[in-house]
Amino acid sequence: MPIDLGDRSYDIRIAPGLLGQAQTWAGLPRASTALIVTNDVVAPLYLARLRAQLSGVYARVESLVLPDGEAQKSWDSLDRIIDHLLAATADRKTVLFALGGGVIGDLTGFAAAIYMRGVPFVQVPTTLLAQVDSSVGGKTAINHPRGKNMVGAFYQPVRVVADLDTLDTLPDRELSAGLAEVIKYGPIADAAFLDWIEQNLPALLARDKTALAYAVQRSCEIKAWVVGQDERESGLRAILNFGHTFGHAIETGMGYGNWLHGEAVGCGMVLASDLSARLGLVPTDFVDRMKRLVRAAGLPVVAPALGLDRYLELMQIDKKNEGGDIRFVVIEGLGQAGVRSAPTELVAEVLATHCDPVAGAPAP
Ligand code: NAD
Ligand code: GLY
């Protein structure tokens, strides 16, 4: 499937078995060196397979295995990649391969964006979340202790290779986290897809390959359609952040890695749906529908009790905000989203309704 961005266009390949097929890697930018960046969970599973393929394409295939976890979206890890490239005297044609989930993809993409002012990189997403969202569209970033993804660049990969077989080894909790980003595409862009997800949730949770293939394909189509119109998020692209304003506050407030990104987004979508209802944009039964679906996907629907002031403080640090106003992605009708600010009283009502009554409740 193409993602149409003029001279930055590229192909998203989605199928089982892609990793081990020579044709998957044909036609990539020519270079003498490739660097695969991955982590210590993914490396034992898939590094050898990718290495074997790339050895047929590049004279020198380097690899860098980082520790696992959201905490790796940091200056330190970025520095490790840059240092590895410099130590290997990697030139400006070197191709980087991000083999892993969204953490590896976001970090490696950012390293590719800045090494020698930009080298090509390939996304090889191995989580559902990365296959349906983070590997597509060119948002790269590291986190800051004060806010998610606060340092980064728009930088498109030259190809995305989503091998559905890699999802076989994904822990159940991570599969559910990925489903949050799949669910997101329904209410913001495609009401029929929301119906499809509800009907096919048992198949998705059972990792039925046909269901997963359709979910990844349709998610990438919607994302490609949005990004194709608004690559740098001057407007429309912000709808992809449905559930993320509350979600990022939960992730940052609870400490990176305690709530998974997808878990925070799942719960955040319930809160953002409720805010949409309180703004009079959708009926209240839509909130119940979202809550049922998010819960059925194995995701939390009760937010941590961080307190209104802390939520507001955390949500102040959001790239969508303008002039000090917190802006939320809201549902304006099934399959249609917009970005609005909301009165603090309504935000307080949402939090009072959906937060755990026990302050400091543990992560899911
Ligand atoms: P992740 O990268 O931490 O991966 C989740 C876990 O699964 C990790 O422990 C990882 O090692 C493991 N894993 C990866 N592939 C595996 C496999 N095939 N089998 C077994 N284990 C495997 O998390 P994620 O959910 O993939 O990504 C979350 C990150 O993505 C967050 O930092 C979020 O901010 C970012 N994100 C970015 C965008 C974007 O547009 N750039 C969009 C959404 C999310
Ligand atoms: N995940 C949100 C975006 O890519 O814009």
Side-chain angles (χ1 to χ4, degrees), residues 33-337:
T33 306
L35 170 65
I36 304 168
V37 181
T38 187
N39 72 23
D40 55 14
V41 171
V42 178
L45 298 169
Y46 304 112
L47 178 57
R49 212 178 301 174
L50 179 58
R51 229 180 193 300
Q53 290 298 323
L54 296 184
S55 298
V57 181
Y58 301 100
R60 186 168 59 143
V61 180
E62 297 270 327
S63 53
L64 174 61
V65 180
L66 297 169
D68 187 28
E70 179 73 28
Q72 297 304 313
K73 277 178 62 171
S74 65
W75 287 112
D76 275 358
S77 299
L78 186 68
D79 189 45
R80 280 191 66 182
I81 300 175
I82 302 296
D83 189 60
H84 190 101
L85 287 163
L86 288 170
T89 59
D91 64 26
R92 67 191 328 171
K93 289 195 166 168
T94 301
V95 184
L96 267 54
F97 289 78
L99 175 67
V103 166
I104 288 293
D106 282 12
L107 173 68
T108 307
F110 188 34
I114 61 173
Y115 184 66
M116 294 195 176
R117 301 199 181 93
V119 293
F121 87 110
V122 178
Q123 289 273 20
V124 190
T126 61
T127 63
L128 180 60
L129 184 140
Q131 295 189 354
V132 299
D133 192 354
S134 64
S135 66
V136 174
K139 276 191 181 175
T140 73
I142 57 172
N143 296 327
H144 188 281
R146 290 180 190 274
K148 275 281 289 179
N149 299 328
M150 279 296 143
V151 183
F154 286 102
Y155 193 67
Q156 300 295 340
V158 295
R159 186 172 296 172
V160 178
V161 175
D163 182 339
L164 298 171
D165 283 346
T166 60
L167 303 181
D168 291 345
T169 53
L170 204 59
D172 288 343
R173 188 176 169 194
E174 299 293 347
L175 185 78
S176 290
L179 286 173
E181 302 281 16
V182 175
I183 291 169
K184 162 185 92 176
Y185 291 111
I188 64 167
D190 184 351
F193 187 44
L194 184 60
D195 295 340
W196 182 90
I197 298 166
E198 284 172 332
Q199 284 153 20
N200 288 276
L201 195 62
L204 291 167
L205 287 167
R207 300 175 198 234
D208 175 279
K209 279 280 156 61
T210 310
L212 282 172
Y214 182 71
V216 176
Q217 176 80 22
R218 186 67 194 126
S219 299
C220 287
E221 278 168 6
I222 295 170
K223 182 143 190 190
W225 172 77
V226 172
V227 173
Q229 294 176 74
D230 181 21
E231 182 184 1
R232 288 179 167 252
E233 199 166 312
S234 49
L236 178 70
R237 185 168 178 165
I239 66 169
L240 297 173
N241 276 322
F242 176 50
H244 287 57
T245 308
F246 289 111
H248 282 166
I250 293 171
E251 260 188 291
T252 309
M254 295 299 282
Y256 297 129
N258 286 316
W259 278 55
L260 302 181
H261 177 73
E263 291 171 342
V265 168
C267 189
M269 286 192 293
V270 174
L271 274 62
S273 299
D274 191 353
L275 186 63
S276 309
R278 286 175 201 272
L279 286 165
L281 302 169
V282 286
T284 49
D285 58 6
F286 172 71
V287 188
D288 298 331
R289 185 179 177 187
M290 286 300 292
K291 196 168 172 178
R292 264 196 312 275
L293 180 56
V294 168
R295 188 191 284 121
L299 294 161
V301 293
V302 178
L306 301 174
L308 175 63
D309 289 348
R310 180 71 176 137
Y311 267 101
L312 292 176
E313 180 189 11
L314 289 162
M315 291 191 299
Q316 283 292 344
I317 303 176
D318 186 296
K319 294 185 287 308
K320 288 186 300 299
N321 294 347
E322 281 173 17
D325 252 6
I326 302 171
R327 286 156 60 80
F328 298 87
V329 179
V330 289
I331 302 305
E332 296 177 336
L334 261 192
Q336 204 184 322

